[in-house]
Amino acid sequence: MTLTKAGYSVGETFFWYGKALKIKQIDNEIKYDHFDQPHVAVLADDGKTYWLRAN
């Protein structure tokens, strides 16, 4: 599944503080932080949820 609005897809690798992780699942909703920046929640292969900046 690709969430084109966020710019990420399942199986894609992203880096978090020097650690390479793969996306297992993507939340289908874009949310905004206190500075009005778009983000999306993803579940990584380490079982943790990360909040990535949407492109």
Side-chain angles (χ1 to χ4, degrees):
M1 170 190 159
T2 301
L3 187 60
T4 55
K5 286 172 88 178
Y8 299 103
S9 59
V10 171
E12 184 176 347
T13 301
F14 70 98
F15 295 91
W16 192 265
Y17 293 98
K19 196 171 162 186
L21 300 165
K22 284 197 184 234
I23 297 174
K24 288 179 70 178
Q25 186 177 1
I26 303 171
D27 187 6
N28 63 356
E29 187 178 339
I30 293 178
K31 298 184 170 116
Y32 294 85
D33 64 13
H34 297 296
F35 303 105
D36 239 8
Q37 299 296 315
H39 289 78
V40 65
V42 299
L43 178 66
D45 58 353
D46 66 352
K48 295 180 182 175
T49 301
Y50 295 89
W51 211 38
L52 304 179
R53 174 99 183 258
N55 297 341

